[in-house]
Amino acid sequence: MEILFTFDSEQYGKSYVLFYDPKDPEATVYGMAYDEEGNLYAVESQEEWEMIEEVFEGYEDGQKD
């Protein structure tokens, strides 16, 4: 897996990492929360997923410019 980017959310008080498998031909992007020690946690709420999707879409838009 390779890290695409990380970001912090003041709204949820968490840090997030988006990553992908460079060998995956579909280039599926995954997201998880993480803590200061680097432990990963599943994102469980729909509201958090929607926020992550918005951040990712902003990232993609920035890559196109």
Side-chain angles (χ1 to χ4, degrees), residues 35-63:
D35 64 19
E36 293 176 1
E37 288 82 37
N39 299 307
L40 297 173
Y41 300 94
V43 176
E44 298 181 7
S45 78
Q46 183 62 34
E47 293 81 14
E48 278 183 277
W49 275 119
E50 290 171 4
M51 179 272 303
I52 291 169
E53 289 173 357
E54 286 180 25
V55 171
F56 180 63
E57 288 171 5
Y59 170 82
E60 284 186 308
D61 289 345
Q63 294 299 307

Side-chain angles (χ1 to χ4, degrees), residues 7-17 32-35 41-45 48 51:
F7 68 96
D8 298 321
S9 169
E10 290 183 20
Q11 179 181 359
Y12 293 100
K14 296 180 183 178
S15 297
Y16 298 91
V17 58
M32 297 188 84
Y34 69 95
D35 64 19
Y41 300 94
V43 176
E44 298 181 7
S45 78
E48 278 183 277
M51 179 272 303

Side-chain angles (χ1 to χ4, degrees), residues 1-5 18-24 27-30 59:
M1 296 295 198
E2 289 188 24
I3 294 175
L4 190 58
F5 67 92
L18 275 71
F19 55 95
Y20 67 100
D21 181 349
K23 296 176 184 174
D24 177 6
T28 303
V29 176
Y30 304 93
Y59 170 82

